[in-house]
Each structure stands twice: as C-alpha cells, then as structure tokens.
Amino acid sequence: MLSLPNELLGEILENVERLNDRKSLRLTCSRLAFILRPFVLKEITLNIQKYKLIPGFSLLRALASPDNVYSQCVRTLYIDSLSPSYFPDPEFKEKEKACRHTYELHDLAREWVSDGEDQPTREYEELRTLLKPALESLKDLVAVHWRWYHKDEWAMEPVMQLLPSFRSLREFSFCAPLLRRAIPFPEINTNLKVLSIDISLPTHSSSFEFIAPLIRHLLSRSKCLSSLHFDVKCLGLDPSSLLNFSTLGSPQRSLITHLSLGGWLRQAFEIPNYFPNLTSLQLRSHYGNTLEPLFSGLRSKQIHLRSLVLDFLTEPVLDYIGTYSGLEVLSLNGPKWYRHTYSQNADRFYQEILPLHNDSLVKLEMEPEFESRWCFGENNVEAISSCRNLRVLSVRVGYSGLPKPKESYPFSYVFAGSSDEAANPVHLLLQTVSSKLPDLHTLYIDSARDPSYAHDHSDFIIQGAQRCRAVRSYIEASIKDPLVENGPKLEPREDPYDLEVLKWVRIFVGREKMKLVAKLGTSTDGGSLPAPHFGNVKSSRLRTVVDSMKKRLSLGRNPR
C-alpha cells in the first residue's frame, strides 16, 4: 500500500469511514499520519465533561494556539458537552430497571448529572478563556451540530454570538431535550442550506412564543435552504401556528428537497403541494391518523422519495413505497396497535415491496412495536440479505430462539412456556451480516413487545418493561458468549457466527454500544476486535480498493 503515490493513498483512505479506523491508520507511520491529517480532523467533537477533561482541553488548547495547523482541516463541529463538572449518569442501568412500560425503555436516554461541584472552578475559567479563540480559529467550518443541555446554559450566548462569523457555514442543527427560555439566535448567513431545530418545551405558552418568528426569520434569510428539520415537542402545541405552509414563499417551495417535521401534523396533506421537489421526508407524528391524503398526494404528483422515515406504519405507506424503486433510506416504526393484518402486511412488505429497493438501500430501520413476522428472523432473512449495499441496519428480534441460560436469571419467569425451537435470531443476523452484507458498519438490535400483552392491562404494565430488559440481556449474551467466560451460562453451540464480523461492525443493543472483551483479554470498543495488519480497519475491504487502484494504474486509467 505504501508503494502507491499520495494521490492514490488519499483515494483509498476516503473509503475508511470510521474515525477510529482512520486514527489507527494514522499511527502506523509518519507518511500516513501526514496524509490522514485532513481525514482525521475533518470532524471534531467538543465533549468536555468530568471524565474527559484531558482530551477535551487538549483539543481546545491546540485550536486556540496562534500557530496551530489543525483548524484549516476542520469542516464539521459537534458540541456534546461544555461542562467540566458534569458526567453521564452512572445510575442509568438502575433507572432502566425502574421503568414499568416498554415505551419508557425505548425512550430512555442517559442524562448528565453533577456531583454538586458545579461552582466556577479552574476548569470552567480555562474553558471560558479557550472557547472563543478556539472557535474563531475554525474559519472553514461548514457544519455545526449542537446538542444542548441545561447544564451548558452559560455557553449559549458566547457560542451563538460566534455563529455569524462562520462565513462558510452551510449546515446548522440545534437539539435541546428541554428548553426553558428563549434562544438568542443570531442572523446566520444567507448561504445556509440545512437547518434543524429539535426542541422540547414546558407546557405553557410563554415558552414557545419565540419559535414562530425564529423559524420564519431563518427561512426568509436563507436564499438556498434545501433541508429543513423542525420538531417541537410540547403538549398542546399546534405546529400549524408556528410553521404555516401557506406562508412559505416560492423560493422555499422550489428548493427544499429534504423535509422533516414532528408534532401534531394536522397539515401534512399539504406537503406535496408546497414541496414538489422532495426527495427525503421524515415525519414524527404524535397521533394515529393514517395520513392517507399525504401519500395519495405523493403518488398522484409522482414524487418518488429516496429517503422515508416514519414513526408509524400503515397500509397507505406500503401502497406508496410499493409503486416505485430507488429508496436509499427507509425507517419504519410500528404499527402501534396489534391487528389481525399485522403479520400479513409484514409478509407483503418483505416479499413484494423490499425487493423493489434492495439495490439502492444503504440504511434500513425496521422497528416493529410487537413481536411478529416484522421482527428479524428466518421468514425475512433472505429479503434483508438481498440489500447488499446496506451500511446501517436496525432490527428488532423476538424471544423465540434466544438461548435460555443454564442458571437462574432475572425475569426468566416472564418467558415461562416460550418456545426456543427456532434458530437464534441474533446468531442468524450476525451470520447474515458477515456473509451477505459486506459494507455494513453499524448494527442496532432491540426487543419488541409481547403481542399477548397488546392491550393495556395490569399484567402488561408490570411485565412489558421486564420482558424488554430480559430480551436485551439475552441478545447481549448471544453476542458475547463466544468471547467471554463470565455472564449467564448458555447452552453450548458450535460456531454460532463468524467472529470476523465483530472486527468491523459497531453493535448497539437498546441504543447502548456493546463493549466486548475477547477471551485472550484484548479489550475492544463498540464491537470491534483487532483486525490483522490494519489495526481496527476492515482489512479485506482496503485490500480490494488497493487492488482496484493498481489494476487501473496498469491499464493507464484515471483512478477515479
């Protein structure tokens, strides 16, 4: 590989998608370290918290230094935390156990907590000193993604004031799980292409009065806005009072290709009329309407979406995506209620609809509410494995087929009488990824609800969350069993799956990244084991790219 010129090495390294893989390659030799600098520093994250002070402050000091050579490489900035005394809640697992409903487990996310030492400290003083010069050095910044928490309220004003100075800014997203006051948004430059506002508000009118003029101001200021994400979570809030389709001018109608809305979507049927050039649609709806007029409008105007993300799944949705091919991203959640057609629609989807898009899909998320034929299993493994270009896959599995531990294990009484004659869905999934999905790099696995508790009664309320936690535990055990000696003792199985898959796929169970430990004691992060020759990099894929480059060179062709 090192025999190739720098230009070809650059082409090859563009195929290394994971940041940790790029870092591993950068440590191999000084030549790759120099070539990989722009690739490694293209995206940076400010995550300054109690247990990551050293790397966080080292990054800030490097950026704030007058003679730094790193800022010119940075194009995307993520801000996760700017509070040295806070840290992710270590009692997260205990809070999971306290959940009584399945939906609570699926919605639960780690919070930031403090040990009480959140008064101004030496770290806060240094952070205030370094933050402004560090951000000002990012002259070529193209995207800013800020997930804001109340703990970072001190940083709201200084960061917002700097946004107009980023003259090359094309993408801005702001997410606030709970916003208690108005945001001092500045006038972002008119070349903004992507705008994302995702906030949760308390239930009183004074909290969201500033939202409507804010959105309309940003829409009117941008001359080339092509992507809009707008989700306000507030009980009783009518988004039509904040974003009225009839008020959008013709420039927005003609340019917006990516639209994402959340809330009580009473005007969703207007989308095909005001956004005729849509290629991507995401709807997070908080009500049970089938939205049939919306999908009928998309069909009648022949708007063929390449990306569709829905928090609900109804027959009009299936009717729509079954009329064309070319979907690249498909995410379906639901149905929310168990009906006799539940599994029938699943068979229709996997047998007739998914094959229409298997050559184009790069991201597939199937998150059914209940255990059924929608869940990953033997009935749909062939359809999913035919989507050979997938890079991200999210599925849910049922309990049937998961191994029962030899020893007593928490919640096992919840599954009394359950059959385990089916194949282990987790092993089948990992075998499929290893043999049929060569480009997959991220895998999400979770549980679904027991359909016998589909109706809301006391047994479901008590057992739903317990069952979900138990299934997650058995999923983790199915993955870890070939690798670790501790944990629940499972029935021995011969070659449950190819361990090679763990070298290049990040695995999440219930949105928590798996941390696997090999029997030999080598610690890995996020489901990655040390791969031969290239650290954590998927070596076979690199070799394929290198061989392709050499072949093109021998034929005298342009490597591109």
Side-chain angles (χ1 to χ4, degrees):
M1 183 167 137
L2 291 178
S3 65
L4 298 174
N6 288 354
E7 293 79 5
L8 292 183
L9 282 176
E11 293 286 336
I12 294 170
L13 296 175
E14 283 185 357
N15 288 271
V16 183
E17 297 175 344
R18 294 173 56 177
L19 179 60
N20 286 339
D21 295 340
R22 295 174 183 176
K23 290 180 178 179
S24 297
L25 275 173
R26 193 166 184 256
L27 295 175
T28 57
C29 67
S30 58
R31 185 180 173 205
L32 287 182
F34 175 78
I35 297 173
L36 269 165
R37 179 187 291 171
F39 295 94
V40 172
L41 297 175
K42 187 177 181 180
E43 299 179 359
I44 62 172
T45 301
L46 292 181
N47 184 19
I48 298 176
Q49 45 120 324
K50 184 172 182 178
Y51 298 116
K52 290 192 175 181
L53 292 180
I54 294 178
F57 277 102
S58 297
L59 175 60
L60 278 181
R61 294 188 192 105
L63 296 177
S65 174
D67 56 349
N68 90 82
V69 295
Y70 309 109
S71 297
Q72 59 186 343
C73 302
V74 180
R75 297 295 181 269
T76 302
L77 171 66
Y78 294 90
I79 304 178
D80 287 350
S81 177
L82 294 172
S83 298
S85 64
Y86 280 76
F87 50 93
D89 188 359
E91 299 180 359
F92 178 75
K93 291 296 181 182
E94 296 301 319
K95 292 182 177 180
E96 277 190 327
K97 294 178 182 178
C99 291
R100 299 186 65 189
H101 299 79
T102 310
Y103 71 84
E104 290 179 323
L105 279 178
H106 287 303
D107 294 340
L108 190 65
R110 286 190 183 272
E111 298 177 347
W112 293 92
V113 297
S114 174
D115 53 11
E117 300 178 3
D118 52 357
Q119 299 298 320
T121 60
R122 178 175 59 83
E123 287 82 9
Y124 273 95
E125 294 174 1
E126 184 177 8
L127 180 55
R128 291 175 187 272
T129 302
L130 293 173
L131 185 61
K132 183 177 180 180
L135 294 182
E136 287 178 339
S137 71
L138 304 177
K139 302 295 185 182
D140 300 315
L141 205 60
V142 174
V144 174
H145 304 274
W146 191 2
R147 186 168 179 83
W148 183 89
Y149 294 88
H150 183 65
K151 65 181 178 61
D152 294 332
E153 188 164 356
W154 72 271
M156 177 75 78
E157 187 173 347
V159 174
M160 288 296 184
Q161 287 179 347
L162 287 172
L163 286 179
S165 64
F166 301 139
R167 300 300 181 185
S168 301
L169 193 66
R170 298 293 182 270
E171 182 175 348
F172 175 69
S173 67
F174 180 82
C175 177
L178 183 58
L179 196 62
R180 296 185 176 93
R181 65 179 182 87
I183 311 172
F185 270 100
E187 294 187 6
I188 303 176
N189 71 71
T190 57
N191 294 321
L192 196 70
K193 292 185 177 181
V194 180
L195 170 65
S196 176
I197 305 293
D198 189 344
I199 56 179
S200 297
L201 301 174
T203 311
H204 49 84
S205 59
S206 61
S207 298
F208 57 77
E209 289 176 350
F210 67 96
I211 295 292
L214 165 67
I215 295 296
R216 290 175 185 142
H217 165 74
L218 291 175
L219 285 174
S220 62
R221 289 290 296 169
S222 179
K223 297 178 180 179
C224 51
L225 192 69
S226 61
S227 179
L228 171 63
H229 172 89
F230 179 51
D231 191 351
V232 177
K233 304 173 185 67
C234 180
L235 184 63
L237 176 63
D238 182 3
S240 63
S241 64
L242 305 181
L243 183 63
N244 193 330
F245 293 133
S246 62
T247 64
L248 296 176
S250 56
Q252 280 70 39
R253 291 206 309 263
S254 62
L255 292 176
I256 289 181
T257 57
H258 297 72
L259 180 66
S260 174
L261 299 174
W264 297 82
L265 307 175
R266 295 188 178 97
Q267 293 185 324
F269 64 91
E270 295 279 13
I271 290 176
N273 298 326
Y274 285 93
F275 304 99
N277 296 314
L278 275 185
T279 59
S280 173
L281 178 63
Q282 174 176 318
L283 298 179
R284 299 297 187 186
S285 179
H286 304 305
Y287 72 115
N289 194 307
T290 64
L291 295 184
E292 183 174 0
L294 165 63
F295 291 99
S296 297
L298 292 173
R299 291 178 63 181
S300 63
K301 293 185 178 295
Q302 295 186 341
I303 298 176
H304 296 163
L305 297 173
R306 292 200 297 270
S307 174
L308 179 62
V309 179
L310 299 174
D311 247 2
F312 49 88
L313 177 57
T314 61
E315 291 192 17
V317 174
L318 299 180
D319 293 339
Y320 167 69
I321 61 178
T323 59
Y324 70 101
S325 59
L327 270 172
E328 297 173 4
V329 176
L330 178 61
S331 176
L332 299 176
N333 184 289
K336 303 298 184 184
W337 300 100
Y338 195 85
R339 298 183 176 91
H340 68 281
T341 58
Y342 201 94
S343 289
Q344 293 177 6
N345 285 334
D347 291 338
R348 176 191 172 196
F349 173 78
Y350 287 116
Q351 295 173 12
E352 302 175 13
I353 298 176
L354 188 60
L356 297 174
H357 309 278
N358 57 14
D359 291 332
S360 56
L361 277 172
V362 295
K363 182 177 182 180
L364 177 63
E365 296 179 333
M366 302 303 302
E367 300 175 349
E369 192 75 12
F370 301 98
E371 292 184 8
S372 62
R373 294 177 69 83
W374 283 102
C375 292
F376 179 85
E378 293 176 297
N379 65 293
N380 53 45
V381 61
E382 184 176 351
I384 292 178
S385 63
S386 296
C387 304
R388 295 187 60 83
N389 295 317
L390 282 179
R391 297 187 178 187
V392 179
L393 175 63
S394 177
V395 296
R396 291 184 178 177
V397 298
Y399 173 70
S400 178
L402 291 177
K404 288 185 174 66
K406 293 179 180 178
E407 305 168 357
S408 60
Y409 199 63
F411 319 125
S412 58
Y413 68 91
V414 177
F415 306 97
S418 296
S419 171
D420 58 355
E421 296 179 357
N424 185 326
V426 177
H427 293 172
L428 180 62
L429 177 59
L430 293 174
Q431 288 171 354
T432 301
V433 171
S434 178
S435 61
K436 301 294 181 62
L437 303 177
D439 292 333
L440 197 81
H441 57 68
T442 305
L443 176 63
Y444 296 87
I445 316 174
D446 208 345
S447 67
R449 285 162 52 177
D450 182 358
S452 62
Y453 297 106
H455 302 288
D456 191 6
H457 53 73
S458 58
D459 289 340
F460 164 68
I461 292 176
I462 295 174
Q463 295 189 4
Q466 290 181 340
R467 183 183 178 94
C468 182
R469 290 200 303 275
V471 172
R472 287 180 178 178
S473 298
Y474 297 153
I475 291 172
E476 292 179 355
S478 295
I479 298 172
K480 290 181 177 180
D481 184 52
L483 301 175
V484 298
E485 298 291 353
N486 56 356
K489 301 300 181 181
L490 306 178
E491 294 291 343
R493 296 174 181 266
E494 295 182 1
D495 300 327
Y497 60 86
D498 186 356
L499 294 180
E500 193 78 8
V501 68
L502 300 180
K503 295 179 180 179
W504 48 274
V505 176
R506 292 172 291 182
I507 301 178
F508 295 77
V509 178
R511 298 194 302 175
E512 288 284 296
K513 183 183 288 186
M514 290 284 294
K515 293 185 178 180
L516 305 177
V517 179
K519 284 185 177 180
L520 296 178
T522 304
S523 177
T524 67
D525 188 13
S528 299
L529 293 175
H533 309 302
F534 294 100
N536 286 339
V537 181
K538 186 179 172 185
S539 57
S540 60
R541 183 174 180 183
L542 272 180
R543 282 195 294 270
T544 301
V545 177
V546 172
D547 292 342
S548 175
M549 291 291 182
K550 288 183 175 179
K551 184 176 181 180
R552 288 172 179 263
L553 280 176
S554 65
L555 297 175
R557 295 176 180 173
N558 189 324
R560 289 189 179 275

